[in-house]
């Protein structure tokens, strides 16, 4: 089944890293350290992290693996301060090997963009880093909204923890990885991706309060219900600019109403201030305010094992993202429609920032294949499918 397929892939990636490490960095090395960190899917709570809202992601069994060891002494038996890191992601072309000095952790230019995630984490590590060599491989698709970036950062951080035997709390680890992404990759991301990659628990979704950073596990382990992630395999590259304009509209509305963020604004407040807000911003705020409520309701439904209600909230979330927040696209809408017209589907929505990437569908396990077949038949592009159980966050493998 799909879960054993994922553990096979994890093992294959682990072997690939080890082989590459031995080929590239030699055999006479101290103990190899192997770690992994998962990607994630957000079940509900979209575009609300920057409004101080709630999100409800789960870690998925796609992992970024890192295998490495301390950098060896040089020919004069001196320890230098160099680190070498190789990524086996083919799409990165020949720029997938870097060398950097621990005394010079500067941000790299665009052509070496991926290395900034690594150097950023090293620079933000809560402790003293020893020089190291490492090899990375991942089956989290890059740039598809399943958070390969956080998986990479959190895996790197976890590797450094095990290398240096200096361990941070899972929350601090996530916060430092987020900081790395802000400062080195110049992505103003929220806290969700790093939190769930660091704190994910098998058979549980994680409700995260993006204001207080408090988080709470909610069981999602009914074998009759499956989470199906479908990658549209399109990316309309609008996310950056559209993201900042949505963010600004939300902030403007809360300012007009005199509240700190949309977390503190009710639909009644919004209605009362209708005359002072343009129609588009009104719809943006309406999405955020109702989505925050839906996310809380969804966590309550999970707690009560009321999967029907959960599915309905997912559907409402998509409709709101499509009609009011306008961050969906034809491909995502099509995947959602196809899923909703299939048997056994409780709810389906786009997930992630939008304009491409993935959808997430809650479906009776008995109907997973039916949905997949329908998408293969009716979706105009080529989709990829991931049947996911909530899995464990970052950890050492060996
Ligand atoms: P997402 O996090 O949704 O996958 P992002 O745009 O946030 O998309 O992050 C993708 C970027 O992260 C890639 O373009 C690459 O720079 C970097 N990245 C992620 N995983 C790896 C990896 N295994 N090796 C090298 N770079 C990676
Ligand atoms: Mg990312």
């Amino acid at each position: 089944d799909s879960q054993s397929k994922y553990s096979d892939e994890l093992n294959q990636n682990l072997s690939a890293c080890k082989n590459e490490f031995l080929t590239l960095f030699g055999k006479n090395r101290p103990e190899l350290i192997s770690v992994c960190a998962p990607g994630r899917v957000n079940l509900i709570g979209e575009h609300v992290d920057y409004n101080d809202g709630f999100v409800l992601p789960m870690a998925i069994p796609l992992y970024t693996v890192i295998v490495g060891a301390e950098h060896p002494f040089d020919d004069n038996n001196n320890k230098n301060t160099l680190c070498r890191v190789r990524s086996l992601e083919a799409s990165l072309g020949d720029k997938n090997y870097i060398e950097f000095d621990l005394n010079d952790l500067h941000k790299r230019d665009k052509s070496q963009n991926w290395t900034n995630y690594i150097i950023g984490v090293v620079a933000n590590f809560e402790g003293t880093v020893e020089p190291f060599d490492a090899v990375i491989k991942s089956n989290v698709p890059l740039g598809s909204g399943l958070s390969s970036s956080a998986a990479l950062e959190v895996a790197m951080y976890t590797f450094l923890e095990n290398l240096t035997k200096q361990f941070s709390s899972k929350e601090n680890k996530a916060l430092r990885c987020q900081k790395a992404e802000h400062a080195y990759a110049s992505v103003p991301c929220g806290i969700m991706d790093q939190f769930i990659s660091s704190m994910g628990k098998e058979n549980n979704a994680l409700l995260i309060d993006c204001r207080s950073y408090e988080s709470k596990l909610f069981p999602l382990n009914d074998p009759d219900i499956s989470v199906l992630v479908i990658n549209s395999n399109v990316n309309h590259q609008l996310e950056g600019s559209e993201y900042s304009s949505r963010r600004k509209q939300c902030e403007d509305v809360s300012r007009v109403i005199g509240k700190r963020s949309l977390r503190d604004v009710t639909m009644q407040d919004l209605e009362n201030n209708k005359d002072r807000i343009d129609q588009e911003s009104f719809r943006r705020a309406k999405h955020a305010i109702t989505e925050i409520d839906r996310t809380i309701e969804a966590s309550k439904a999970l707690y009560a094992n009321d999967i029907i209600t959960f599915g309905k909230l997912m559907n409402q979330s998509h409709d709101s993202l499509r009609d009011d927040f306008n961050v969906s696209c034809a491909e995502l809408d099509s995947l959602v429609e196809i899923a909703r017209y299939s048997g056994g589907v409780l709810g389906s929505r786009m997930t992630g920032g939008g304009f491409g990437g993935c959808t997430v569908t809650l479906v009776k396990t008995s109907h997973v294949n039916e949905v997949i077949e329908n998408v293969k038949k009716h979706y105009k592009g080529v989709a990829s499918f991931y049947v996911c159980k909530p899995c464990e966050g970052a950890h050492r493998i060996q």
Side-chain angles (χ1 to χ4, degrees), residues 113-129:
N113 189 39
W114 74 270
T115 64
N116 284 324
Y117 294 88
I118 309 290
I119 298 171
V121 169
V122 172
N124 281 284
F125 184 66
E126 192 179 31
T128 315
V129 180

Side-chain angles (χ1 to χ4, degrees), residues 319-353:
D319 297 350
S320 172
L321 288 158
R322 181 191 59 208
D323 302 334
D324 286 333
F325 218 64
N326 298 128
V327 291
S328 190
C329 62
E331 293 86 350
L332 292 172
D333 290 342
S334 152
L335 289 175
V336 163
E337 287 305 305
I338 296 166
R340 284 183 189 173
Y341 287 116
S342 305
V345 168
L346 301 146
S348 184
R349 59 181 287 272
M350 57 158 277
T351 182

Side-chain angles (χ1 to χ4, degrees), residues 14-305:
L14 180 60
S15 307
C17 284
K18 282 184 183 164
N19 291 338
E20 181 71 8
F21 187 94
L22 296 177
T23 310
L24 205 57
F25 302 129
K27 294 198 187 335
N28 302 321
R29 303 299 299 268
E31 173 198 31
L32 283 185
I33 294 165
S34 307
V35 302
C36 67
R40 62 99 187 94
V41 66
N42 191 21
L43 295 168
I44 194 163
E46 217 62 76
H47 282 280
V48 293
D49 55 347
Y50 51 84
N51 292 306
D52 283 348
F54 292 85
V55 294
L56 188 61
M58 63 179 233
I60 58 176
L62 301 176
Y63 283 97
T64 297
V65 176
I66 302 186
V67 172
E70 258 180 60
H71 194 73
F73 292 89
D74 66 17
D75 293 344
N76 304 321
N77 228 14
N78 290 320
K79 202 157 206 179
N80 58 35
T81 50
L82 287 183
C83 299
R84 297 177 292 183
V85 180
R86 161 104 161 109
S87 172
L88 288 169
E89 289 334 300
S91 60
L92 298 168
D94 56 4
K95 297 195 182 68
N96 52 4
Y97 180 160
I98 44 160
E99 193 167 68
F100 57 90
D101 194 317
L102 288 175
N103 295 323
D104 180 23
L105 297 171
H106 68 274
K107 191 173 159 174
R108 303 302 158 100
D109 68 19
K110 258 205 146 78
S111 66
Q112 292 198 345
N113 189 39
W114 74 270
T115 64
N116 284 324
Y117 294 88
I118 309 290
I119 298 171
V121 169
V122 172
N124 281 284
F125 184 66
E126 192 179 31
T128 315
V129 180
E130 298 292 329
F132 65 89
D133 298 327
V135 176
I136 302 166
K137 182 144 176 64
S138 181
N139 62 350
V140 187
L142 271 55
S144 292
L146 300 181
S147 203
S148 68
S149 60
L152 177 61
E153 293 148 13
V154 174
M156 195 64 217
Y157 200 102
T158 306
F159 169 74
L160 295 178
E161 287 182 316
N162 285 283
L163 179 78
T164 65
K165 306 277 178 266
Q166 302 165 95
F167 295 88
S168 303
S169 71
K170 288 184 178 182
E171 181 176 329
N172 278 345
K173 180 186 333 198
L175 289 169
R176 281 175 179 261
C177 288
Q178 181 201 27
K179 221 170 137 194
E181 185 154 341
H182 286 181
Y184 279 76
S186 306
V187 179
C189 56
I191 189 58
M192 165 167 65
D193 301 355
Q194 293 82 3
F195 255 57
I196 186 67
S197 186
S198 170
M199 298 194 212
K201 270 269 159 276
E202 218 174 13
N203 298 324
N204 283 277
L206 187 71
L207 180 74
I208 304 168
D209 180 336
C210 298
R211 170 173 276 172
S212 68
Y213 295 160
E214 275 169 331
S215 63
K216 193 172 181 301
L217 294 167
F218 286 85
L220 177 58
N221 56 0
D222 181 345
D224 296 336
I225 303 294
S226 289
V227 175
L228 172 63
V229 176
I230 308 179
N231 191 346
S232 68
N233 288 313
V234 298
N235 183 346
H236 293 300
Q237 303 288 345
L238 279 163
E239 219 185 317
S241 56
E242 296 288 326
Y243 176 89
S244 16
S245 77
R246 294 299 182 286
R247 203 171 165 146
K248 186 171 180 308
Q249 287 173 314
C250 290
E251 284 160 6
D252 287 349
V253 170
S254 47
R255 192 170 322 109
V256 166
I257 298 181
K259 294 285 168 72
R260 185 170 141 198
S261 69
L262 291 182
R263 165 84 171 263
D264 306 311
V265 177
T266 63
M267 276 309 291
Q268 191 60 59
D269 296 333
L270 189 64
E271 293 288 351
N272 293 345
N273 287 276
K274 202 164 187 166
D275 309 341
R276 303 159 66 205
I277 300 164
D278 68 88
Q279 278 183 19
E280 194 177 83
S281 298
F282 185 91
R283 286 190 288 115
R284 306 295 191 239
K286 179 180 161 214
H287 164 73
I289 294 164
T290 56
E291 183 79 355
I292 291 172
D293 286 344
R294 277 189 290 272
T295 308
I296 297 167
E297 288 309 308
S299 67
K300 286 183 187 158
L302 261 196
Y303 190 73
N305 208 4

